[in-house]
Amino acid sequence: MILRTESILVLAYIVLVSGIQESQRYLEAPEVTGVSLAEPEGLYVQWWPVRQRNDDPVIGYKIRLWEIPESSTTDIQLVNADKYPGTVKHDESSKSFSVNNTEPISREEIIGSTNKGLISATVKIKYNTIYEVRVLAFKKDVDGPMSLPTRTKVVKGSGYQVVLQRTTTSCRITVPSEVQYENDPYPYEHNFIF
């Protein structure tokens, strides 16, 4: 009977030690702090680096992008309570917004690791297309969990440009423009959060 108890204790110790070693290798999800417009035709993604150990370092980060299909309809109706009809176009995402996206990724960009504060990268996109953006840290043999999703669409038309964005906590519309200060132009963004 004593032999059996010792075997159980040794087995419990091995399981406990291997669990500690595995938890030490655990990677957390990066915190994305912003996804904004980068010219020409790009998204500027920023996130905080994850904690890591010197003996088991993070090699880098992966920015995963999904192109989300849309359906469009157009109809004629009175616009802004005018008495004359106008054309109204409706664009709608074909996939619901969820933190559990299981669709295959459209593209992946790999960024080298750094621990020097906020990390950023620019990825190329197409205008007038919805993208879902997520970031994860990886080691040589394991990928960590993904950040929460951000859906972004850069709407570009004749003479205007608008960035639409949705996260798990808010929706935002950004209107980029340029203002003059002492006769010098500088970029200006107006954010509407709802």
Side-chain angles (χ1 to χ4, degrees):
M1 190 68 145
I2 293 173
L3 182 62
R4 230 182 179 144
T5 305
E6 288 175 357
S7 298
I8 291 172
L9 287 175
V10 169
L11 182 60
Y13 176 76
I14 291 170
V15 168
L16 179 63
V17 169
S18 68
I20 289 170
Q21 289 172 346
E22 193 58 37
S23 69
Q24 291 170 340
R25 295 205 68 234
Y26 175 75
L27 286 167
E28 55 195 25
E31 179 189 347
V32 174
T33 61
V35 178
S36 57
L37 175 65
E39 289 288 353
E41 295 181 57
L43 291 177
Y44 183 69
V45 183
Q46 293 179 301
W47 66 93
W48 289 109
V50 298
R51 290 178 291 175
Q52 60 178 309
R53 294 168 34 123
N54 290 337
D55 61 343
D56 192 19
V58 169
I59 294 173
Y61 294 86
K62 296 177 182 178
I63 301 174
R64 290 190 171 163
L65 297 164
W66 286 262
E67 275 190 41
I68 307 298
E70 285 183 283
S71 60
S72 292
T73 58
T74 304
D75 56 13
I76 305 294
Q77 56 183 272
L78 295 179
V79 179
N80 295 332
D82 289 335
K83 55 186 171 184
Y84 301 105
T87 303
V88 178
K89 183 178 178 189
H90 305 278
D91 292 334
E92 188 174 335
S93 167
S94 300
K95 305 253 184 231
S96 62
F97 184 71
S98 168
V99 295
N100 300 316
N101 185 352
T102 58
E103 297 291 320
I105 60 173
S106 302
R107 197 166 89 231
E108 186 172 79
E109 301 283 334
I110 296 178
I111 310 300
S113 179
T114 180
N115 271 337
K116 305 208 187 302
L118 201 60
I119 302 172
S120 61
T122 301
V123 292
K124 291 286 189 186
I125 59 161
K126 297 180 284 191
Y127 290 130
N128 303 315
T129 302
I130 297 176
Y131 289 93
E132 192 164 293
V133 181
R134 298 181 89 169
V135 178
L136 64 88
F138 68 95
K139 296 181 179 182
K140 66 179 178 179
D141 60 347
V142 65
D143 284 352
M146 291 185 288
S147 65
L148 292 173
T150 299
R151 274 204 183 169
T152 301
K153 180 178 181 179
V154 179
V155 179
K156 187 168 180 90
S158 178
Y160 70 92
Q161 191 166 291
V162 178
V163 181
L164 310 172
Q165 193 169 93
R166 179 177 180 181
T167 66
T168 55
T169 57
S170 70
C171 291
R172 181 173 79 184
I173 296 175
T174 302
V175 180
S177 60
E178 199 173 79
V179 295
Q180 296 288 324
Y181 180 73
E182 296 181 357
N183 296 325
D184 291 327
Y186 70 94
Y188 176 77
E189 287 187 353
H190 192 161
N191 293 315
F192 303 90
I193 299 172
F194 52 95

